[in-house]
Amino acid sequence: MRTPFVAGNWKMNTTVAEAEKLVLEMLDGLGRIGGIEKVLCPPFVSLVAIEMMLKGSTIKLGAQNMHFETKGAYTGEISPLMLSDMCEFVILGHSERRHYFGETDEIVNKKVKTALTGGLKPILCIGERLEEKEAGKTEEVLSRQVRNALDGIRPGGPSGGSESRQTQDEHMTARLVIAYEPVWAIGTGKAATGEEAATTIHFIRGIVADLWTEALAQDLRVLYGGSVTSANIGEFVSQPVIDGALVGGASLKAEEFVGIVERTAEIRRA
Ligand code: PEP
């Protein structure tokens, strides 16, 4: 059984004071919901303050990005070493990073490797653009993104490994979460249908099974992301292959986000 999972990606929104206020508004509501992993991903500058606020709660913290090196002359960048003290998760390969900041599959691959070896759990985002969907290239794009992002990451370790390291490394690969986020659905109010997302997520698990093993693919959590709200979340999480959601806009409204988490836990419990 895979534990359901909902993460809120606040993107470049909220000052530190606004972030603290938002956490205060959702803390009780989220805290009451069990049987689900709940993750908040605020901007970097709010991580320290929010980590303090979440101490003793069941809500986890994630970052929205990181550099693939652990330290060095990379002005303005944040390394996994700086994050791993306070964050459990890190969003990697978000379409906004790929499209506005030129992140290639190769860069995403380096980031996934460093995150895993640095003790962070990557939420790896993949998804096709509208023109790719319309050209019938969705599977080709997703297959390329998954295979490239996970290149060299095997149950035997990030670059292969000995038999004796197998168990530990299988644990490491199990720390990955994939978020299927069709780019045409992000921030547009035009979500995929539950059925559409389920078919695509089934395909994504198939790629992971091909790369690793069927058992690892079955353990892997795969989320849907793209215009998720408290009104449409049920359509997604009632599909057994969809383990939860990565939520952008709606995670900036406390009531909406708590509603999404609540509904997910409720449907998965049933
Ligand atoms: C996202 O940015 O990951 C996202 C899914 O955004 P939204 O929910 O606003 O579509």
Side-chain angles (χ1 to χ4, degrees):
M1 279 295 282
R2 301 182 295 259
T3 306
F5 187 106
V6 175
N9 173 14
W10 295 2
K11 310 193 188 193
M12 197 175 71
N13 294 296
T14 68
T15 61
V16 177
E18 287 165 348
E20 287 173 333
K21 183 169 174 279
L22 188 54
V23 171
L24 269 183
E25 286 167 2
M26 36 176 89
L27 203 55
D28 278 354
L30 289 180
R32 266 186 256 115
I33 312 167
I36 180 164
E37 227 166 349
K38 304 154 274 190
V39 183
L40 299 179
C41 304
F44 286 128
V45 292
S46 297
L47 287 173
V48 173
I50 293 180
E51 190 215 2
M52 304 277 286
M53 294 178 79
L54 298 184
K55 274 210 169 88
S57 85
T58 54
I59 306 160
K60 296 174 176 176
L61 198 56
Q64 297 176 17
N65 180 34
M66 54 161 238
H67 197 267
F68 52 78
E69 294 290 350
T70 50
K71 62 178 178 176
Y74 300 99
T75 302
E77 288 293 331
I78 304 283
S79 99
L81 268 186
M82 301 167 189
L83 295 173
S84 59
D85 273 354
M86 58 190 121
C87 293
E88 189 169 331
F89 292 90
V90 59
I91 298 172
L92 296 177
H94 191 281
S95 64
E96 288 151 16
R97 298 293 320 166
R98 293 178 190 259
H99 302 137
Y100 300 139
F101 302 98
E103 278 193 18
T104 59
D105 283 346
E106 192 195 350
I107 294 174
V108 175
N109 174 244
K110 284 186 185 174
K111 290 187 175 191
V112 173
K113 282 177 176 162
T114 323
L116 286 170
T117 50
L120 287 161
K121 299 177 179 174
I123 302 171
L124 167 66
C125 300
I126 55 167
E128 81 286 1
R129 304 165 89 149
L130 183 62
E131 59 269 31
E132 292 164 336
K133 174 184 159 70
E134 286 173 348
K137 290 187 171 164
T138 299
E139 293 193 350
E140 181 188 321
V141 169
L142 297 177
S143 177
R144 191 201 71 226
Q145 289 178 340
V146 173
R147 287 176 195 280
N148 287 344
L150 301 185
D151 185 41
I153 300 166
R154 306 190 198 297
S159 49
S162 67
E163 283 291 310
S164 57
R165 287 178 54 206
Q166 191 89 355
T167 311
Q168 190 190 339
D169 292 328
E170 280 190 7
H171 179 69
M172 191 177 84
T173 50
R175 289 199 274 119
L176 179 76
V177 175
I178 291 184
Y180 166 55
E181 300 205 305
V183 181
W184 45 268
I186 297 182
T188 59
K190 291 185 192 137
T193 65
E195 238 169 74
E196 243 178 330
T199 305
T200 311
I201 286 176
H202 178 71
F203 171 77
I204 292 166
R205 268 218 184 77
I207 304 167
V208 176
D210 186 40
L211 280 174
W212 294 348
T213 65
E214 181 61 36
L216 285 171
Q218 287 308 322
D219 280 349
L220 175 79
R221 284 175 299 178
V222 187
L223 319 175
Y224 167 76
S227 297
V228 167
T229 64
S230 61
N232 68 15
I233 183 68
E235 188 179 337
F236 300 104
V237 293
S238 55
Q239 300 278 349
V241 294
I242 306 180
D243 298 309
L246 179 55
V247 185
S251 70
L252 290 165
K253 296 175 207 138
E255 208 179 312
E256 263 294 290
F257 190 64
V258 173
I260 290 169
V261 174
E262 213 158 37
R263 194 87 188 97
T264 304
E266 216 173 76
I267 292 175
R268 284 312 172 108
R269 225 178 283 126

